[in-house]
Amino acid sequence: MDTEPRVKAYMTRAVTTVSATDTVEAVRAQIDGEDGHNGFPVCRDGRVEGFVTGRDLLAADAAATIADVMSAETIVADPEMSITDAARVIVRSDIEKLPVVDDDGELVGILSNTDVIRSQIERATPEKVAKLSRTLTDIHGVELSQERRSVALAELVPTQAEVYADELDGRRYELERGLAEPLVVIDAGDVGALYLADGHHRALAADRLGIDEMDAYVIVPAEPLELGMAQTAAEQGLSSIDDISAIEQDRHPLVETTTKLQG
């Protein structure tokens, strides 16, 4: 059975479009505005006629119409297309955005290369959840269920005392661009305690950005558990995200510098 995510799960449904009769000057103003778009589907009556990129607009005369500068042979995707196939189209066609149309040719969304990256990041999390669930079942012999929901950072109990500052910067970058992988949390059932099993860098970065809630996979045992990670957290005095320290002087062990390589 093919369980790969589909384009419809990651595309943006609220799409800003332009008309072929719009002027280059008018559409440039939209790119410079708050939307931050770097390209637009060109539509008439909901159907895609072409696509205009920021590069098209910068190279064109301000008085020209979009019809003069747009790409008429526009590659589009079907909402039921797999994310992997859509990624191949984006890479091989050297484009940043892929309009998504239904069977009637109506525009229903747009998929960007950022959306594709986000889909690949998120696909890694279920594997972690499954592995952790198997481990908990083997150790405690209890049935487990999984939930995908938002969790309040203020309710999380960390199980790791330190994170690397350079990786923390990376997680902040991802959060600002909507690329963060979901957290993995265990609901131990004791007074509603939620233990953060995976995602300490992401959680601390989100907290520093003023984010109150994050998407998470929550593992829920059928009965309260005596978790080893709960004992570790207690021994290290960890009770909230604020208790996590960032190691400023060291790089993550996966990172090597040119000086180290030349040594």
Side-chain angles (χ1 to χ4, degrees), residues 122 148-151 180-185 213-217:
E122 288 192 1
R148 179 82 178 264
R149 68 175 192 253
S150 292
V151 296
E181 186 179 347
L183 305 175
V184 179
V185 174
E213 295 186 346
M214 288 190 70
D215 187 25
Y217 284 93

Side-chain angles (χ1 to χ4, degrees), residues 88-177:
R88 290 193 182 104
V89 171
I90 287 175
V91 172
R92 292 172 182 175
S93 304
D94 192 26
I95 57 178
E96 295 183 6
K97 292 185 176 181
L98 192 59
V100 184
V101 302
D102 61 18
D103 292 339
D104 296 323
E106 298 278 340
L107 180 71
V108 294
I110 196 162
L111 187 79
S112 69
N113 48 15
T114 300
D115 295 326
V116 171
I117 294 170
R118 179 166 57 89
S119 74
Q120 301 306 307
I121 290 173
E122 288 192 1
R123 288 175 67 185
T125 310
E127 297 176 8
K128 296 178 183 177
V129 175
K131 183 177 180 180
L132 179 56
S133 295
R134 288 193 298 270
T135 300
L136 291 173
T137 297
D138 291 343
I139 294 173
H140 300 283
V142 299
E143 293 185 6
L144 303 168
S145 60
Q146 299 172 15
E147 301 174 1
R148 179 82 178 264
R149 68 175 192 253
S150 292
V151 296
L153 296 185
E155 296 179 2
L156 296 179
V157 178
T159 58
Q160 179 178 321
E162 297 178 330
V163 296
Y164 291 94
D166 59 336
E167 188 170 348
L168 191 63
D169 290 339
R171 300 296 83 79
R172 179 178 183 131
Y173 178 91
E174 291 170 358
L175 282 162
E176 290 173 336
R177 288 155 181 79

Side-chain angles (χ1 to χ4, degrees), residues 73-84:
E73 292 188 11
T74 302
I75 300 171
V76 298
D78 183 278
E80 296 296 335
M81 178 185 286
S82 73
I83 281 289
T84 298

Side-chain angles (χ1 to χ4, degrees), residues 26-104:
V27 178
R28 276 181 187 167
Q30 288 183 259
I31 288 183
D32 293 336
E34 294 182 1
D35 283 347
H37 290 280
N38 59 8
F40 303 92
V42 183
C43 296
R44 179 168 61 181
D45 298 327
R47 292 175 174 270
V48 179
E49 293 186 315
F51 195 89
V52 61
T53 68
R55 285 173 292 188
D56 295 331
L57 296 168
L58 289 173
D61 184 89
T65 65
I66 294 302
D68 296 327
V69 299
M70 71 181 189
S71 300
E73 292 188 11
T74 302
I75 300 171
V76 298
D78 183 278
E80 296 296 335
M81 178 185 286
S82 73
I83 281 289
T84 298
D85 287 343
R88 290 193 182 104
V89 171
I90 287 175
V91 172
R92 292 172 182 175
S93 304
D94 192 26
I95 57 178
E96 295 183 6
K97 292 185 176 181
L98 192 59
V100 184
V101 302
D102 61 18
D103 292 339
D104 296 323

